[in-house]
Amino acid sequence: MDLQVLRSFQAVAAGVTVTEAASAARVTQPALSRALGRLEDEVGAELFQRVGRVLRLTPAGRVFKEYADTVLDAYDRGRRAVAEVVDPDTGVVSLAFLHTLGTWLVPKLVTGFRQEHPGVRFELHQHEENGLVQHLLSATADLVITSKDPGHPLIAWRRLLVEPLLLAVPAQHRLARHDRVRLAEVADEPFILLKSGYGLRGVTEALCREAGFVPQAGFEGDDVQTLRGLVAAGLGVSLIPGAPDGAATPDYPIRYLEITDVEGARDIGVAWLSGRTLPPASRRFIDHALRTTAGQGTPAASSTGPEPPRSGRAAPGPQA
């Protein structure tokens, strides 16, 4: 079985036309159609059915695709691992992370790591909490940086730090002159929230329940900058990760207040598939992340968790 045919099968299964897949594989469309036909003969089942002008996977095709994805992922990881053994200062770190971490933590970690390993490339993906778990399970990312332990039996997790959550209120709000407030004091006000599925939404709802109320959703957005903008416009209040300071600015006339009746914080950690041998570059990135975040909030060294699996021949990174 030709790996290129498997890649073309994978592309067509994802919605690419046979003509486009043939062009990417640098073969003619009839040649690729014959190759896909031979693949069906080898598998012993029809993998595609035509719906209008496009090909759709049959039930047998959907089953086969899971195994084809696994084969191609293992082959690609094997090539990466060999390349990194030959030249340990190269490689690829495939990293997925929460949207809210893309403005501060991830850039800081990536910049510091590339200063130490300039030959390493990054494949970056942003997603909400549930999507991050799927990135690991589908092997489209080696590592994810997320806001809590996913609690999945196949996923290992290590805390990096504890990030404070502050109550953002408009600069003219009745509580804006305070530095510290009880979350229960805004129980009757509209909350500016991220959409369901985002980690910060779940943490906000849990803290509000702990404070004795269910937050009223005044607006649901996709990113923290939108939350800040709508709070500044006076449309509600919001729990927002660590603001740069507690003062209003011309662009964002907001006050950030510490909450006292519940613990306004969330865990930030790194996760990987526990049974999968990580490429050396990804393992070194975990070591770098643990070193870089040690001492921020709750030190990573105080958290418990398994040691990420190391590639057998790679030079070991520092112990966390």
Side-chain angles (χ1 to χ4, degrees):
M1 187 176 294
D2 189 339
L3 286 178
Q4 183 55 59
V5 175
L6 279 185
R7 293 196 192 280
S8 296
F9 163 80
Q10 194 179 52
V12 175
V16 173
T17 67
V18 174
T19 300
E20 292 168 335
S23 176
R26 298 184 179 181
V27 299
T28 66
Q29 185 270 331
L32 180 55
S33 294
R34 290 193 296 271
L36 291 175
R38 290 193 297 271
L39 179 62
E40 290 181 322
D41 291 340
E42 291 181 34
V43 173
E46 191 176 58
L47 301 177
F48 293 103
Q49 60 185 0
R50 184 168 292 280
V51 179
R53 296 186 176 183
V54 298
L55 294 179
R56 300 294 187 197
L57 286 173
T58 63
R62 287 193 293 272
V63 170
F64 180 71
K65 183 178 181 298
E66 294 180 17
Y67 292 91
D69 290 346
T70 300
V71 168
L72 292 173
D73 175 64
Y75 175 75
D76 290 339
R77 286 191 291 113
R79 290 188 60 186
R80 282 171 52 189
V82 170
E84 292 172 19
V85 167
V86 173
D87 185 353
D89 290 324
T90 63
V92 178
V93 176
S94 181
L95 176 69
F97 55 92
L98 286 175
H99 291 78
T100 52
L101 303 178
T103 59
W104 68 282
L105 180 60
V106 172
K108 175 182 178 180
L109 294 178
V110 169
T111 299
F113 187 79
R114 293 194 67 191
Q115 289 173 348
E116 298 176 6
H117 307 282
V120 172
R121 295 186 299 108
F122 278 82
E123 294 176 353
L124 299 177
H125 314 269
Q126 275 187 313
H127 227 292
E128 37 77 28
E129 200 81 54
N130 294 333
L132 293 180
V133 171
Q134 191 55 42
H135 268 298
L136 287 181
L137 297 178
S138 63
T140 54
D142 291 331
L143 307 173
V144 300
I145 298 181
T146 183
S147 66
K148 61 180 180 180
D149 185 342
H152 193 284
L154 299 179
I155 295 176
W157 182 86
R158 286 286 301 275
R159 180 187 294 121
L160 295 174
L161 52 88
V162 175
E163 181 183 38
L165 297 177
L166 303 176
L167 181 67
V169 302
Q172 302 304 316
H173 192 273
R174 60 186 173 84
L175 298 173
R177 294 185 179 181
H178 296 254
D179 293 323
R180 306 166 76 236
V181 298
R182 293 183 303 112
L183 186 59
E185 293 184 60
V186 292
D188 296 329
E189 301 195 26
F191 268 72
I192 310 300
L193 301 166
L194 290 181
K195 292 179 179 178
S196 295
Y198 287 84
L200 183 59
R201 170 65 176 263
V203 172
T204 297
E205 291 176 332
L207 289 175
C208 289
R209 284 196 301 270
E210 188 179 341
F213 68 97
V214 175
Q216 307 172 39
F219 179 84
E220 297 179 341
D222 292 301
D223 60 83
V224 171
Q225 283 299 92
T226 298
L227 304 191
R228 288 195 176 103
L230 295 179
V231 170
L235 298 181
V237 300
S238 187
L239 282 177
I240 291 180
D245 55 53
T249 67
D251 291 333
Y252 293 98
I254 296 173
R255 282 281 289 154
Y256 298 98
L257 314 177
E258 181 184 348
I259 54 178
T260 59
D261 51 343
V262 294
E263 186 178 354
R266 63 173 179 173
D267 284 335
I268 301 296
V270 59
W272 63 94
L273 283 182
S274 56
R276 181 178 179 182
T277 301
L278 290 174
S282 295
R283 182 59 184 84
R284 287 196 295 271
F285 182 79
I286 294 178
D287 294 338
H288 168 77
L290 291 167
R291 290 196 312 270
T292 301
T293 57
Q296 297 183 26
T298 299
S302 69
S303 65
T304 59
E307 191 69 12
R310 297 179 182 275
S311 179
R313 297 175 59 189
Q319 296 289 327

